[in-house]
Amino acid sequence: MLSGQRRPEIPRGQGIRWTIDCIRELLDYAAGKNVVLTFENHYKDNYWRYPEFAQKGDIYLAILNYMDSPWFGVQYDPSNAILAGEDPIELLEIVKHRVVTVHASDRFLTRRYTLHELKQVEDSVGYAAILSHGVVGKGLNDYSKIFQIMEEVSYRGWISIEDGMNGLDEIRESAIYLRSLMKSSV
């Protein structure tokens, strides 16, 4: 689940309340279907003008702290924490006991851009052109540390490779890399 776009006319507190209210309305239905809703620390949809409302950790965590249900958990994506200008390891340490699913993704800055320059392109529609998808384990994320933390909490949930932008060979290489980390943490 996502919180929607960070529209400039919506105050922080109102956006948090709306998101919490929407999630709470879904929880009974999810429980009735035996489905756990997961809330992603998301960056931006390809069709959106603005980044995710709960992209920044303080808003994301404020929403999570209001949710106390066995039918609600975290969809953790380390790349999205980087895109928020935050440390994905610090976020994982905070949410590790609530993680239900993990996106294994890695991002690269194209050319000689910096993450600071990402802020200048936030208002463009879609994904920022200064970012590129790629092989998991070769980008900005420390997957050895991520898997170590997940092993500390005996995580055995889904790990999905969020890739494919550059073809199946990169997905295959990402899978081989991730399997090696899974074997070493078992």
Side-chain angles (χ1 to χ4, degrees), residues 74-185:
V74 167
Q75 159 61 44
Y76 173 71
D77 187 327
S79 290
N80 289 339
I82 289 173
L83 297 174
E86 298 171 348
D87 184 340
I89 302 300
E90 287 179 16
L91 177 63
L92 180 57
E93 287 287 358
I94 295 168
V95 303
K96 64 187 176 186
H97 294 286
R98 298 183 77 179
V99 173
V100 177
T101 56
V102 175
H103 272 171
S105 63
D106 237 339
R107 300 294 178 266
F108 305 81
L109 295 169
T110 58
R111 295 183 277 177
R112 294 187 183 268
Y113 289 110
T114 65
L115 285 174
H116 176 72
E117 291 172 289
L118 181 61
K119 305 261 183 262
Q120 299 168 0
V121 296
E122 278 188 341
D123 289 340
S124 63
V125 172
Y127 212 79
I130 70 170
L131 297 170
S132 177
H133 292 73
V135 175
V136 175
K138 292 187 175 181
L140 299 169
N141 285 303
D142 182 352
Y143 274 96
S144 293
K145 182 67 176 172
I146 290 167
F147 272 71
Q148 175 189 343
I149 293 166
M150 297 311 296
E151 180 61 26
E152 290 170 8
V153 295
S154 301
Y155 179 78
R156 296 295 179 262
W158 285 96
I159 300 170
S160 62
I161 299 172
E162 189 179 40
D163 198 342
M165 301 300 290
N166 303 313
L168 291 177
D169 288 339
E170 285 191 359
I171 292 176
R172 189 175 297 107
E173 191 174 344
S174 295
I176 291 167
Y177 172 72
L178 292 167
R179 280 190 189 120
S180 74
L181 291 177
M182 291 165 74
K183 287 178 184 174
S184 65
S185 67

